[in-house]
């Protein structure tokens, strides 16, 4: 193999891995090694070398050099980037990337290596030094090729986004016609200084870390050598080109394409296309013979059945069969819902105000893979490069492209931190002028949500934008955020403590006014909240989570109130100018993490939308809630498995739309198509109306929360929050939180208390109980004097002033037969209250007392669901069964039983949903390893099998008595099942 190393004046490599280091690696492999400078790159020919290595972090390639690099790669030449992909000037902000010219994406990421992927093991073998880097946080990139190119990750990692694969070390096989057969590999490095430092808004201490490109790491040399061996151009490469996602009646042709990346003729002895579950073999004799360059053939196949069809392209060369390409085709039923329910976001570094062909091809590929709409990010800095001066070049070009291509576009305003990790978007540079202070007192300069400066310019820009495109047929919706995600706190973005907010004077004044005007606190109450005396509002500081816990809880309310107010204003601006282009939910990018349990909040909102209109907006407002709602998978840069839980949740709670977050930030082609197939087949299906509702903590790993328990019962459950106000007697049981002061959620409405702090909500609860609701109350929610300022009116409105509790003590419970019998042990408090004693411990102390209230009741529990409670042993990541949890026992006592699904209370998320006479069993578990799931399902029509839409597996179904059908299947850790019935 002929190898060249790029080294040129003005181009900066990593000091720990220079061109000289690369030459030593290549020499040790006994390969020839040339040196190529910038001038030589401009005239590079494929015949000169096979592989080009670019140890590179910063430097400006000329247009001629970039064009030459692309021609070399298109002719089958291999590329190995050690450090970064082509960019110009400083690496922050990310919009200076030229990676799209090579059909690559590039984003900021981190690497914490846990092991090797199967592909990594095949390429790297027993890579030395894994133990040295394991568990360390290393700087890295996320690099992915545009579909249909195939990106292979070599390392598994731990990541803030729950991804298990590293996108910092990747191998790319080209399947797109332009680069077919070429190979590319990257060891990506993101070791530059923090964006704060580069943007000059705030200084953070920084120490250089070379990551994996450290000559002193024992694994660096073997890693580069293994990549070079993989990069050797193959004799023949191939691709199978088809419509990855289409409806049953649409059908599609298949084109087979082959080429010779090695650069010389190859004799093809035979070519076969293998497809379907039965692996049908189609011989292609016309492709036999000498092959030099590229050839293709259009293959006519019969209409494929509903489901997944797997294809393999196999060629015999020198007496050996070689698999040149593999791909999946996903066929959606003709009666699938047609509303715009599956889409993708794009973060694109538009340069020069044009929409390049690469972007057009990228969007077309997303549509072929099932995306029904594109949510295109518009950077504020591009629209308003100078304060008050607007530039419409990019949105004009996008709108024209949308109209020409028939693309469904949303214009998405996402004012993230300048130089953010999410691609090229950001607030304008001219906004970096206002004084701000971090929690440790360090000064900086960046806009805040509470400043008139920020609000004036942002809302004025929205006003001009929506007026300009209000009637443009290429724009479907306007989706403006307001201070979401990393802005303005974003100079401490991903993975940092959520307490690192802006502590500017502007924020302090706004918070103190909030205490006085919105909460109605007196100075004495504010002093009590902080635990120290203040004589005026000017003395009230922004609270710190660790020093002022009670005031911090109120501050979280203030944060949610602030963002909500900004969103409402953005909605008013958009609705005034373009009412037909405003989404039915509030402007925003949807539930920021549709995979967490807060999705249930939005489902309940949609079901009771009209009923809640009679209440004051500030009581019921919830970001992203509406009669139609949806969201995105929070994980960015994962593969299908990392998006699986989000996909599951979008279907379980019948989200109207589901957006994959930025395929140009890391998604593979098959991930997009698989998501699109499953989503478009099932979306629109509904579950049974729940009889159980729970208010409790929402968290990724909060296993003791009743929200996590209820979401995994065989009975359907609703999860509510304090922003819900409707007639709760539609449920038979509502559980209040065991501790209403622990009100933090993963993505929505972080606040100080999970229960409202106004009296009206409790009168609504009382009315619902009188109509038939059973209300479960735990000790902490019913005890007075827990905070300096009472947060709830529970005791007053429900007349629970006489209720008291004994000391917490170990106890054993012998459950009555109506509670399924059996025994539990743990700590609990005796309940001292009038009423019917339903449950006692073995010492005779009452632990559950029922107090009738009209047609319903108050259920006073002396236990909770904490680690030392009778339910403390239950963990959804450990226990296979939840039948003995006190919540399930209480449901059985009240007659709340499974109605269409029985699994013996397998401790996994599950639901049966139905649409157009078809039933689907959805299941997603966190149990370790693989468990054998046994399920009974009540189907609308008999079925002899269940078909998994994710894998194509089939499981036999046995019809039993009373309309219940039975089946068994393996359920893997964090892998969803999407089982379709009715054959």
């Amino acid at each position: 193999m002929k190898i060249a190393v790029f080294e040129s004046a003005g181009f900066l490599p990593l000091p720990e891995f220079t061109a000289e280091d690369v030459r030593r690696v290549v020499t040790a492999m006994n390969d020839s090694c040339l040196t190529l400078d910038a001038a030589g790159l401009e005239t590079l020919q494929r015949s000169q070398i096979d592989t080009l290595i670019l140890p590179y972090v910063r430097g400006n390639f000329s247009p001629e050099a970039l064009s030459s690099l692309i021609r070399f790669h298109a002719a089958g030449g291999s590329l190995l980037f050690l450090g970064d992909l082509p960019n110009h000037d400083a690496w922050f902000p990310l919009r200076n990337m030229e990676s799209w010219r090579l059909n690559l994406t590039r984003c900021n990421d981190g690497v914490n290596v846990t092991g090797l992927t199967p592909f990594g093991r095949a390429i790297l073998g027993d890579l030395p030094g894994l133990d040295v880097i394991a568990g360390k946080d290393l700087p890295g990139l996320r690099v992915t090729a545009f579909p249909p190119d195939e990106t292979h990750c070599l390392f598994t990692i731990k990541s803030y986004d729950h991804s298990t694969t590293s996108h910092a070390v990747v191998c790319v096989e080209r399947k797109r016609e332009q680069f077919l057969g070429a190979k590319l590999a990257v060891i990506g490095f993101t070791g530059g200084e923090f964006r704060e430092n580069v943007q000059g808004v705030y200084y953070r201490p920084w120490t250089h870390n070379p990551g994996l490109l450290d000559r002193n790491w024992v694994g660096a040399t073997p890693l580069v050598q293994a990549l070079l061996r993989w990069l050797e151009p193959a004799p023949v490469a191939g691709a199978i080109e088809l419509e990855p996602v289409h409806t049953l009646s649409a059908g599609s042709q298949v084109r087979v394409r082959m080429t010779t990346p090695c650069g010389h003729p190859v004799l093809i002895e035979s070519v076969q296309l293998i497809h379907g579950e039965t692996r049908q073999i189609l011989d292609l004799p016309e492709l036999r013979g000498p092959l030099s360059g590229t050839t293709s053939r259009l293959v006519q196949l019969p209409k494929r059945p509903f489901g997944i069809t797997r294809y393999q392209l196999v060629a015999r060369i020198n007496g050996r069969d070689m698999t040149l390409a593999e791909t999946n085709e996903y066929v959606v039923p003709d009666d699938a819902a047609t509303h715009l329910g599956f889409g993708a976001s794009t973060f694109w570094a538009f340069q020069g105000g044009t929409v390049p062909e690469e972007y057009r091809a990228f969007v077309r590929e997303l549509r072929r893979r099932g995306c029904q709409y594109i949510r295109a990010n518009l950077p504020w800095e591009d629209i308003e490069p100078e304060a008050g001066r607007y530039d419409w070049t990019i949105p004009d070009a996008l709108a024209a492209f949308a109209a020409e291509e028939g693309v469904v576009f949303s214009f998405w305003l996402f004012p993230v931190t300048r130089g953010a990790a999410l691609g090229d978007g950001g607030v304008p540079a001219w906004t970096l002028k206002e004084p701000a202070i971090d929690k440790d007192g360090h000064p900086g300069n960046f806009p805040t949500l509470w400043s008139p400066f920020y609000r004036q310019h942002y809302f004025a820009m929205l006003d001009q934008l929506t007026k300009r495109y209000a009637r443009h047929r290429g724009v479907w919706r306007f989706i403006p955020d307001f201070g979401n995600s990393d802005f303005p706190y974003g100079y401490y973005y991903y993975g940092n403590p959520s307490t690192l907010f802006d502590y500017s004077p502007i924020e302090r004044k706004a918070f103190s006014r909030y205490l006085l005007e919105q909460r109605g606190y007196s100075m004495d109450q504010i002093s009590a909240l902080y635990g120290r005396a203040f004589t005026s509002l000017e003395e009230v500081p922004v609270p710190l989570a660790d020093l002022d816990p009670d005031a911090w809880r109120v501050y979280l309310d203030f944060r949610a109130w602030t963002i909500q107010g900004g969103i409402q204003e953005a909605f008013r601006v958009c609705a005034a100018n373009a009412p037909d282009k405003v989404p039915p939910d509030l402007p925003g990018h949807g539930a920021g993490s549709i995979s967490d349990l807060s999705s249930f909040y939005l489902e309940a909102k949609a079901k009771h939308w009209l009923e809640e209109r009679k209440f004051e907006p500030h009581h019921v407002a919830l970001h992203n809630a509406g009669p139609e709602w949806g969201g995105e998978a929070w994980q960015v840069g994962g593969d299908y498995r990392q998006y699986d839980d989000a996909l599951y949740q979008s279907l379980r709670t019948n989200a109207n739309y589901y957006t994959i977050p930025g395929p140009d930030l890391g998604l593979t082609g098959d991930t997009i198509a698989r998501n699109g197939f499953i989503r478009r087949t099932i979306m629109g299906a509904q579950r049974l109306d729940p009889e159980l509702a729970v208010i409790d903590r929402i968290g990724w790993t909060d296993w003791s929360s009743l929200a996590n328990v209820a979401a995994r019962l065989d009975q359907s459950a609703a999860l509510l929050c304090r922003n819900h106000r409707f007639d709760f007697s539609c449920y038979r049981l509502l559980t209040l939180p065991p501790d209403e002061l622990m009100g933090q959620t993963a993505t929505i409405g972080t606040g100080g208390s999970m229960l409202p702090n106004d009296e009206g909500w409790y009168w609504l609860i009382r009315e619902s109980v009188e109509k038939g609701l059973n209300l479960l109350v735990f000790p902490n929610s019913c005890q007075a004097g827990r905070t300096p300022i009472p947060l709830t009116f529970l005791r007053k409105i429900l007349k629970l002033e006489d209720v008291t509790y004994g000391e917490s003590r170990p106890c054993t419970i012998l459950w009555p037969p109506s509670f399924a019998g059996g025994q539990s042990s743990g700590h609990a408090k005796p309940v001292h209250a009038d009423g019917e004693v339903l449950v006692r411990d073995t010492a005779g102390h009452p632990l559950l007392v029922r107090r009738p209230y009209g047609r319903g009741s108050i259920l006073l529990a002396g236990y909770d669901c904490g680690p030392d409670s009778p339910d403390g042993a239950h963990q959804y990541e450990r226990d296979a069964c939840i039948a003995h949890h006190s919540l399930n026992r209480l449901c059985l006592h009240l007659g709340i039983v499974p109605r269409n699904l029985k699994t013996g209370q397998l401790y996994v998320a599950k639901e049966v949903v139905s649409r157009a006479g078809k039933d689907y069993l959805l299941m997603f578990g966190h149990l370790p390893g693989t468990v054998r799931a046994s399920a009974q399902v009540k189907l609308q029509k008999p079925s002899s099998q269940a078909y998994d839409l994710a894998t194509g597996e089939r499981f036999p179904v046995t019809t039993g008595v009373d309309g219940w059908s039975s089946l068994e299947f393996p359920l893997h850790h964090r892998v969803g099942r999407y089982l379709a019935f009715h054959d």
Side-chain angles (χ1 to χ4, degrees):
M1 181 168 58
K2 295 177 292 185
I3 298 174
V5 179
F6 178 75
E7 183 179 26
S8 192
F11 288 82
L12 179 68
L14 282 177
E16 292 84 359
F17 220 86
T18 64
E20 185 58 35
D21 293 305
V22 174
R23 280 191 286 267
R24 281 195 293 268
V25 173
V26 175
T27 301
M29 298 174 63
N30 296 319
D31 281 308
S32 61
C33 185
L34 307 175
T35 297
L36 193 68
D37 63 10
L41 183 58
E42 293 181 1
T43 60
L44 175 63
Q45 300 294 321
R46 170 68 180 88
S47 58
Q48 295 175 267
I49 59 171
D50 296 309
T51 299
L52 174 62
I53 309 174
L54 297 99
Y56 162 82
V57 173
R58 185 181 302 169
N60 294 336
F61 290 103
S62 67
E64 293 79 12
L66 279 174
S67 297
S68 179
L69 196 67
I70 292 170
R71 286 194 302 270
F72 168 76
H73 196 46
S78 296
L79 299 174
L80 174 58
F81 289 95
L82 302 178
D84 209 340
L85 300 173
N87 59 69
H88 56 84
D89 303 323
W91 74 281
F92 271 121
L94 300 186
R95 65 181 297 109
N96 62 12
M97 293 308 300
E98 303 280 356
S99 56
W100 57 273
R101 300 183 188 276
L102 286 164
N103 285 216
L104 297 173
T105 72
R106 182 268 204 201
C107 189
N108 183 25
D109 206 354
V111 178
N112 190 304
V113 175
T114 61
L116 297 175
T117 65
F119 188 90
R121 287 192 295 271
I123 297 299
L124 304 177
D126 295 325
L127 181 69
L130 273 179
D131 58 326
V132 176
I133 61 173
K136 293 183 178 179
D137 291 324
L138 304 172
L141 299 177
R142 181 187 306 130
V143 177
T144 313
F146 295 176
D149 295 344
E150 296 176 4
T151 305
H152 306 285
C153 303
L154 276 66
F155 289 105
T156 58
I157 65 168
K158 291 181 181 177
S159 170
Y160 64 82
D161 61 12
H162 300 268
S163 176
T164 59
T165 53
S166 167
H167 294 268
V169 185
V170 297
C171 294
V172 174
E173 292 183 90
R174 300 295 194 178
K175 300 298 178 181
R176 184 182 297 274
E177 182 179 358
Q178 179 187 10
F179 297 121
L180 178 61
K183 295 180 181 179
L184 178 144
V186 182
I187 302 178
F189 170 77
T190 311
E193 286 198 64
F194 305 109
R195 77 188 86 178
E196 294 88 329
N197 300 3
V198 175
Q199 291 298 323
V201 299
Y202 171 70
Y203 180 76
R204 297 177 63 192
W206 171 72
T207 302
H208 178 73
N209 183 340
L212 294 170
L213 287 168
D214 184 349
R215 69 170 69 95
N216 296 316
W217 173 49
V218 66
T221 292
L223 175 59
V224 174
Q225 289 176 334
L227 291 177
L228 284 173
R229 285 190 292 268
W230 180 83
L231 284 167
E232 183 172 358
V236 179
I240 304 168
E241 300 172 356
L242 47 76
E243 197 78 9
V245 177
H246 59 84
T247 57
L248 184 62
S249 59
S252 66
Q253 298 173 322
V254 176
R255 179 174 292 278
V256 171
R257 196 179 299 275
M258 298 196 308
T259 191
T260 53
C262 61
H264 56 76
V266 176
L267 179 61
I268 308 297
E269 299 166 19
S270 67
V271 180
Q272 294 178 330
L273 183 64
I274 305 172
H275 63 95
E277 291 186 66
T278 59
R279 294 182 59 79
Q280 300 177 57
I281 298 176
L282 178 65
D283 285 310
L284 304 175
E286 59 272 37
L287 294 178
R288 297 175 187 168
L291 175 63
S292 179
T294 301
T295 186
S296 69
R297 185 208 165 179
L298 189 63
V299 181
Q300 298 290 343
L301 292 176
K303 186 171 67 174
R304 270 75 76 200
F306 160 76
I308 307 171
T309 298
R310 181 70 173 168
Y311 292 85
Q312 285 182 303
L313 178 63
V314 178
R316 179 170 287 263
I317 303 171
N318 294 327
R320 185 169 63 93
D321 287 338
M322 297 177 57
T323 300
L324 303 183
E326 297 181 274
T327 194
N328 290 326
E329 180 183 37
Y330 300 92
V331 179
V332 177
D334 286 333
D335 65 349
T338 58
H339 69 272
L340 302 181
F342 177 65
S345 302
T346 60
F347 293 86
W348 195 272
F350 294 110
Q351 298 178 14
T354 62
V355 178
E357 177 55 33
E358 286 84 352
Y359 182 81
R360 294 170 180 263
F362 181 70
V363 169
R364 293 186 195 107
E365 194 64 38
L366 294 180
R367 296 176 69 192
R368 293 177 66 242
R369 294 175 185 276
C371 292
Q372 299 165 292
Y373 60 88
I374 303 297
R375 186 180 63 184
N377 181 43
L378 292 180
W380 179 9
E381 59 183 315
D382 288 341
I383 297 174
E384 194 174 4
E386 298 176 12
R389 182 178 72 83
Y390 301 107
D391 185 343
W392 306 111
T393 305
I394 290 176
D396 276 354
L398 280 175
F401 166 54
E404 294 165 6
E405 299 277 345
V407 178
V408 177
F409 260 109
S410 291
F411 278 178
W412 176 30
L413 279 299
F414 190 47
V416 295
T417 304
R418 184 170 176 80
L422 289 175
D424 69 320
V427 298
W430 50 265
T431 64
L432 306 180
K433 59 178 288 187
E434 293 193 309
I437 305 171
D438 82 339
K439 68 167 293 186
D440 298 316
H442 299 128
N445 290 279
F446 47 88
T448 79
L449 293 181
W450 303 274
S451 69
F453 172 83
Y454 169 75
R455 290 169 180 264
Q456 172 190 346
H457 284 287
Y458 185 64
F459 293 134
M461 180 271 295
L462 284 183
D463 181 61
Q464 293 298 313
L465 177 76
T466 51
K467 284 179 180 176
R468 184 176 182 88
Y469 301 102
R471 292 176 176 80
H472 200 295
R473 65 185 182 90
V475 180
W476 174 44
R477 282 180 175 172
F478 296 109
I479 310 179
D481 268 302
F482 177 82
N484 215 321
S485 289
D486 68 335
F487 172 77
Y489 336 109
Y491 292 98
Y492 302 93
Y493 199 19
Y494 290 132
N496 291 303
S498 61
T499 58
L500 293 173
F501 294 153
D502 165 35
Y503 283 71
S504 71
I506 296 174
E507 179 197 16
R508 191 206 64 75
K509 291 180 181 179
F511 178 57
S512 62
R513 288 197 306 271
Y514 170 82
L515 293 176
L516 184 67
E517 299 171 7
Q518 300 297 322
R519 299 298 286 262
Y521 287 175
S522 66
M523 288 307 304
D524 289 342
Q525 288 177 312
I526 295 174
S527 297
L529 196 65
Y530 278 86
R532 53 187 186 271
F534 302 120
T535 59
S536 69
L537 286 178
E538 286 68 28
E539 300 175 15
V540 179
V542 174
L544 298 174
D546 47 352
L547 298 181
D548 313 299
D550 289 324
W552 174 255
R553 282 190 285 267
V554 179
Y555 171 78
L556 292 178
D557 287 340
F558 162 72
R559 175 184 177 239
W561 172 81
T562 299
I563 293 178
Q564 191 65 229
I567 291 169
Q568 293 282 359
E569 181 60 26
F571 180 86
R572 285 191 288 270
V573 171
C574 295
N577 296 329
D580 296 335
K581 295 185 185 296
V582 175
D585 58 346
L586 292 176
H589 61 295
S593 179
I594 203 170
S595 53
D596 73 37
L597 295 180
S598 56
S599 302
F600 284 73
Y601 295 170
L602 308 179
E603 180 206 37
K605 278 284 179 184
K607 286 183 177 179
H608 300 278
W609 185 255
L610 294 179
E611 188 178 351
E612 291 196 328
R613 296 307 88 201
K614 62 186 179 184
F615 296 101
E616 291 292 330
H618 67 274
H619 286 317
V620 296
L622 188 64
H623 187 29
N624 301 310
E628 296 179 19
W629 66 278
E632 65 179 18
W634 175 59
Q635 300 89 334
V636 177
D639 58 19
Y640 168 73
R641 285 294 158 229
Q642 275 66 65
Y643 290 85
D644 197 356
D645 55 352
L647 175 65
Y648 165 85
Q649 199 75 324
S650 78
L651 295 168
R652 181 185 194 179
T653 51
N654 192 22
N656 297 87
Y657 61 87
Y658 169 67
T659 308
I660 293 179
D664 50 333
L665 299 182
L667 282 182
T668 64
D670 192 62
T671 289
I672 301 169
R674 191 181 300 262
N675 271 268
F677 166 63
I678 298 172
R679 171 72 189 160
R680 290 181 60 176
T681 297
I682 303 179
M683 69 181 189
Q686 298 183 4
R687 63 190 186 124
L688 294 177
D689 287 335
E691 297 179 313
L692 165 68
V694 167
I695 302 177
D696 203 358
R697 301 180 306 277
I698 303 292
W700 291 100
T701 58
D702 197 349
W703 57 266
S704 64
S705 167
L706 284 180
N708 277 313
V709 174
R712 290 165 174 82
L713 290 174
D714 287 355
Q715 300 93 321
S716 292
L719 304 183
L720 307 180
C721 67
R722 63 182 183 175
N723 300 88
H724 289 102
R725 293 194 185 215
F726 50 86
D727 185 353
F728 298 116
S729 66
C730 63
Y731 307 113
R732 298 179 65 180
L733 173 64
L734 170 62
T735 74
L736 297 189
D739 188 343
E740 78 274 13
L741 293 184
M742 301 177 66
Q744 296 192 14
T745 70
T747 58
I748 294 184
T750 53
S753 170
M754 279 185 286
L755 298 181
N757 50 40
D758 69 292
E759 189 172 341
W761 187 84
Y762 297 89
W763 284 108
L764 180 60
I765 286 289
R766 176 170 170 169
E767 292 175 3
S768 299
V769 172
E770 290 175 343
K771 292 179 180 179
L773 175 69
N774 296 284
L775 184 71
L776 180 63
V777 180
F778 294 98
N780 279 344
S781 293
C782 195
Q783 288 181 307
R786 298 192 60 229
T787 64
I789 298 176
L791 296 178
T792 73
F793 295 84
L794 183 68
R795 294 170 62 84
K796 170 186 172 183
I797 304 302
L798 295 177
K799 297 183 178 180
L800 302 177
E801 292 94 338
D802 63 317
V803 178
T804 59
Y805 298 85
E807 293 295 321
S808 177
R809 66 188 72 188
C811 66
T812 298
I813 303 173
L814 294 177
W815 295 95
S818 64
F819 287 80
Q823 178 177 308
S824 300
S825 297
H827 282 72
K829 299 178 179 181
V831 181
H832 301 147
D834 293 335
E836 176 189 4
V837 178
L838 299 179
V839 177
R840 299 179 184 270
D841 64 12
T842 53
H845 299 121
L847 297 184
L848 184 62
V849 175
R850 178 181 182 272
R851 177 172 288 187
Y853 238 90
R855 298 172 59 186
S857 67
I858 307 294
L859 301 166
L860 299 166
Y863 53 86
D864 57 24
C865 56
D868 67 345
S869 74
D871 294 318
H874 293 290
Q875 294 192 30
Y876 66 74
E877 293 180 332
R878 183 183 67 194
D879 295 350
C881 179
I882 196 177
H884 296 149
H885 194 282
S886 65
L887 181 60
N888 182 55
R889 292 178 180 276
L890 180 56
C891 284
L892 298 180
H893 173 78
L894 296 173
I896 303 173
V897 297
R899 290 174 286 166
N900 62 1
L901 174 62
K902 298 178 184 178
T903 69
Q905 298 296 353
L906 184 66
Y907 208 173
V908 299
K910 50 193 176 292
E911 201 81 53
V912 172
V913 298
S914 304
R915 183 187 59 79
K918 296 180 179 179
D919 299 313
Y920 303 90
L921 171 58
L922 315 178
M923 196 172 289
F924 189 92
H926 294 77
L927 295 172
T930 299
V931 297
R932 191 72 183 175
S934 298
Q936 290 181 281
V937 183
K938 185 162 285 189
L939 301 175
Q940 299 176 76
K941 302 175 184 177
S943 180
S944 63
Q945 64 177 0
Y947 181 82
D948 190 348
L949 304 181
T951 65
E953 295 172 275
R954 300 177 187 272
F955 304 103
V957 175
T958 303
T959 302
V961 297
D962 299 327
W964 290 92
S965 299
S966 302
L967 69 158
E968 291 187 356
F969 51 88
L971 184 66
H972 309 294
H973 176 68
R974 287 186 60 84
V975 176
R977 289 289 189 188
Y978 305 87
L979 301 178
F981 296 95
H982 311 316
D983 302 343

